[in-house]
């Protein structure tokens, strides 16, 4: 893997293609309040299932699914169809409806199923809306115009509309201002299947050594929402799906962050690689990814004295 090189001879982030920056007309979607209402009801259903306990099934060798996943996705399909009858839907648990529509919802009724099944209260409902104007080739993404992520256990509602910013429970949010990887709190995740084939443990080790720590909480949608609101400074993961990321991508971007692949190319909904950051540490993270993929020696870790000097240079106090 190689990164593009700028005039200084260092790698840099690929500019976002102009077509991806185009802001969809607000007149094209004016139903964010209804979408929020639907997400809240779906989250309430999850909360009820969580309180009473559910039977866990396997939809693959190790992938879990519960009656809550299926019931809430069925609710989302019906509610979204009623509210937005011309929209398509693409859901984790099999919903495939009107995929040729101008607007397409990517829905995850329960992001964090493994947490949910074990009684670990870190999960959410995630709904992202893509605008696919007439003539757009199937292999190309349209802009994400709305995103809603609802955490029913904390009653935290994350909402983003393209060009209108991002909020949590109605309050504006922004990505963090942490300028260095060494001062950052990161998050990642591991696939529930083929863990032995996934290289992420190597990245996990290196980023743990080079940061304040790496969290693995089990919900990519919430990790992206937390990056958007500054609780995390960056998030990366392999092999995510559009229903995991559509809403979170927009939240991060509308909160001032950046989402690319590990090579710096602008993110895609079907991306096998996701790197979301506060922008300030994006280049540093990309450099580590580039070195790891190329098998190069990494920059030596800073000593405590070097770390203190870096902070002092910015006028920060020790502590």
């Amino acid at each position: 893997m190689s990164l593009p090189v700028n005039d200084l001879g260092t790698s840099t982030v690929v500019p976002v293609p102009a077509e991806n920056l185009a802001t969809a007309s607000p007149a094209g979607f004016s139903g964010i309040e209804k979408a929020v209402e639907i997400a809240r009801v779906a989250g309430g259903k999850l909360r009820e299932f969580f309180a009473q306990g559910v039977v866990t099934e396997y939809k693959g060798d190790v992938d879990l699914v519960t009656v809550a996943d299926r019931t809430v996705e069925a609710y989302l399909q019906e509610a979204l169809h009623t509210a937005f009858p011309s929209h398509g839907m693409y859901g984790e648990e099999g919903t495939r409806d009107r995929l040729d529509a101008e607007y397409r919802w990517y829905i995850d009724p329960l992001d964090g199923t493994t947490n949910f099944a074990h009684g670990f209260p870190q999960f959410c409902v995630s709904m992202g809306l893509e605008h696919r104007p007439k003539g757009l080739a199937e292999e190309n993404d349209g802009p994400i115009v709305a995103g809603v992520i609802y955490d029913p256990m904390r009653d935290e509602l994350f909402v983003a509309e393209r060009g209108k910013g991002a909020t949590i429970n109605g309050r504006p949010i922004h990505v963090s201002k942490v300028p260095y990887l060494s001062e950052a709190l990161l998050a990642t995740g591991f696939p529930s299947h083929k863990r032995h084939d996934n290289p992420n443990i190597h990245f996990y080790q290196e980023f743990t050594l080079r940061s304040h720590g790496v969290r693995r909480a089990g919900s990519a949608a919430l990790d992206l929402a937390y990056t958007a609101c500054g609780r995390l400074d960056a998030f990366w993961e392999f092999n995510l799906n559009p229903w995991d990321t559509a809403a979170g991508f927009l939240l991060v971007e509308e909160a001032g962050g950046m989402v690319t692949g590990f090579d710096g190319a602008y993110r895609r909904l079907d991306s096998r690689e996701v790197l979301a950051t506060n922008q300030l540490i994006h280049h540093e993270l990309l450099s580590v990814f580039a070195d790891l993929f190329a098998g190069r020696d990494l920059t030596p870790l800073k000593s405590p004295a070097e770390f203190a000097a870096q902070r002092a240079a910015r006028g920060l106090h020790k502590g």
Side-chain angles (χ1 to χ4, degrees):
M1 184 187 86
S2 62
L3 294 175
V5 175
N6 61 22
D7 293 338
L8 298 176
T10 58
S11 57
T12 186
V13 176
V14 175
V16 176
E19 60 270 23
N20 294 108
L21 289 174
T23 300
S25 169
F29 179 69
S30 57
I32 194 67
E33 292 84 3
K34 187 62 180 178
V36 163
E37 177 186 330
I38 291 169
R40 282 193 176 279
V41 172
K45 293 178 181 294
L46 289 181
R47 195 163 47 234
E48 292 172 5
F49 276 117
F50 188 77
Q52 68 190 30
V54 296
V55 176
T56 299
E57 306 169 31
Y58 286 86
K59 59 180 179 180
D61 291 339
V62 293
D63 281 343
L64 299 179
V65 65
T66 70
V67 65
D69 296 80
R70 296 193 176 106
T71 301
V72 175
E73 181 157 315
Y75 162 74
L76 289 172
Q77 183 178 13
E78 179 181 0
L80 288 170
H81 179 73
T82 299
F84 312 109
S86 65
H87 290 191
M89 276 168 276
Y90 197 102
E92 179 177 15
E93 303 308 328
T95 299
R96 304 290 187 272
D97 185 23
R98 291 184 55 84
L99 297 185
D100 59 344
E102 181 180 2
Y103 288 89
R104 181 189 298 176
W105 287 98
Y106 294 95
I107 56 175
D108 192 339
L110 173 49
D111 187 58
T113 298
T114 300
N115 289 343
F116 182 91
H118 285 273
F120 188 79
Q122 179 80 356
F123 54 84
C124 67
V125 177
S126 181
M127 300 164 41
L129 181 62
E130 177 193 19
H131 180 215
R132 301 188 58 81
K134 187 176 180 179
L136 182 68
E138 180 58 34
E139 64 271 18
N140 293 334
D141 292 346
I144 306 169
V145 296
V148 179
I149 293 175
Y150 180 53
D151 176 351
M153 303 307 290
R154 296 179 182 81
D155 192 26
E156 289 188 334
L157 179 74
F158 299 87
V159 178
E161 292 182 84
R162 181 162 291 277
K164 297 184 178 181
T167 62
I168 177 173
N169 291 349
R171 303 187 305 275
I173 57 175
H174 199 277
V175 293
S176 76
K177 296 181 180 179
V178 171
Y180 298 110
L181 173 58
S182 58
E183 300 175 11
L185 182 64
L186 314 181
T188 191
F190 294 86
S192 56
H193 63 288
K194 296 184 177 178
R195 292 179 182 139
H196 58 287
D197 291 334
N198 191 283
N200 201 25
I201 191 64
H202 304 294
F203 297 91
Y204 182 92
Q205 176 183 358
E206 289 299 334
F207 285 126
T208 297
L209 293 173
R210 296 168 186 280
S211 68
H212 273 177
V214 177
R215 302 292 179 256
R216 191 261 174 132
S219 169
L222 284 177
D223 287 339
L224 287 164
Y226 283 13
T227 302
C229 72
R231 294 173 182 171
L232 296 169
D233 306 302
F235 164 73
W236 86 91
E237 192 165 342
F238 292 80
N239 299 323
L240 292 172
N241 297 291
W243 53 76
D244 300 311
T245 59
F249 282 172
L250 186 62
L251 277 163
V252 172
E253 291 168 350
E254 286 294 317
M258 174 181 289
V259 189
T260 71
F262 301 155
D263 61 353
Y266 188 66
R267 53 87 178 153
R268 288 184 55 85
L269 281 169
D270 64 353
S271 177
R272 301 295 85 187
E273 303 173 351
V274 171
L275 175 62
T277 76
N278 65 359
Q279 289 207 53
L280 298 175
I281 62 172
H282 206 91
H283 178 270
E284 192 175 358
L285 284 162
L286 288 176
S287 295
V288 176
F289 275 113
D291 289 341
L292 283 168
F293 278 121
R296 292 190 291 263
D297 291 334
L298 299 179
T299 303
L301 296 173
K302 286 184 174 64
S303 68
E306 289 172 325
F307 179 68
Q310 175 182 279
R311 297 178 67 209
R314 301 195 342 264
L316 298 179
H317 297 293
K318 296 179 181 180

